[in-house]
Amino acid sequence: MTTRFLTSVLVALAALTAMCVAPVNAHHSFAAEFDGSKPITLKGVVTQIDWVNPHVWFYVTVKDEEGQTVRWACEMGAPHQLQQRGWLRETMKVGDLVSVEGSLARDGSKRANARVVTTADGKTLGAASSGDPTTRQ
């Protein structure tokens, strides 16, 4: 009986530990992934929006210097941080033309940490991102 109880306790502790560690591993620091000294401005059409925790991501197709269409992934802050800055899920829609000011990914991929997004109707909103010095964490 004691062995059975001890085994149950150990299994419960292992499960609890796994739940606590997973969110920590999922999050990253701005400086680890993005370079604040490499600003970028992207203008393009929104093709996808993932309004999820811990960060909202949206994808934009942009024409490069050769006229080729390139897909960029843009990271913003958490949904609740965006809502504090006036965002709603409907603020930006697939098909909208947007302008994004942000920082390039360190690894050279087509990813950016968005600081400011200007929507199709001219509304400029902070992106609640880690690279934004006005962001409250």
Side-chain angles (χ1 to χ4, degrees), residues 35-54:
D35 187 342
S37 69
K38 293 185 180 172
I40 187 168
T41 299
L42 302 167
K43 292 179 184 171
V45 177
V46 176
T47 59
Q48 179 182 340
I49 306 166
D50 295 331
W51 191 271
V52 295
N53 277 315

Side-chain angles (χ1 to χ4, degrees), residues 16 20 24 32 42 58 69 73 81 97 99 105-106 110 119 126 130-131:
L16 183 60
C20 292
V24 173
L42 302 167
F58 67 99
T69 301
Q81 292 173 318
L97 180 64
S99 176
R106 288 191 178 279
K110 301 295 185 200
T119 60
S130 304

Side-chain angles (χ1 to χ4, degrees), residues 19-110:
M19 288 188 298
C20 292
V21 170
V24 173
N25 289 338
H27 199 260
H28 61 87
S29 73
F30 169 83
E33 292 200 30
F34 301 98
D35 187 342
S37 69
K38 293 185 180 172
I40 187 168
T41 299
L42 302 167
K43 292 179 184 171
V45 177
V46 176
T47 59
Q48 179 182 340
I49 306 166
D50 295 331
W51 191 271
V52 295
N53 277 315
H55 297 278
V56 173
W57 284 86
F58 67 99
Y59 301 82
V60 182
T61 55
V62 178
K63 296 253 183 184
D64 66 12
E65 298 82 30
E66 290 100 38
Q68 300 294 317
T69 301
V70 180
R71 186 174 195 235
W72 280 81
C74 300
E75 178 188 65
M76 295 196 291
H80 74 278
Q81 292 173 318
L82 290 170
Q83 290 168 338
Q84 291 172 344
R85 284 163 178 73
W87 286 87
L88 302 172
R89 284 183 181 260
E90 301 79 34
T91 300
M92 182 170 51
K93 297 177 221 52
V94 171
D96 282 354
L97 180 64
V98 295
S99 176
V100 183
E101 295 174 33
S103 299
L104 286 170
R106 288 191 178 279
D107 66 5
S109 63
K110 301 295 185 200

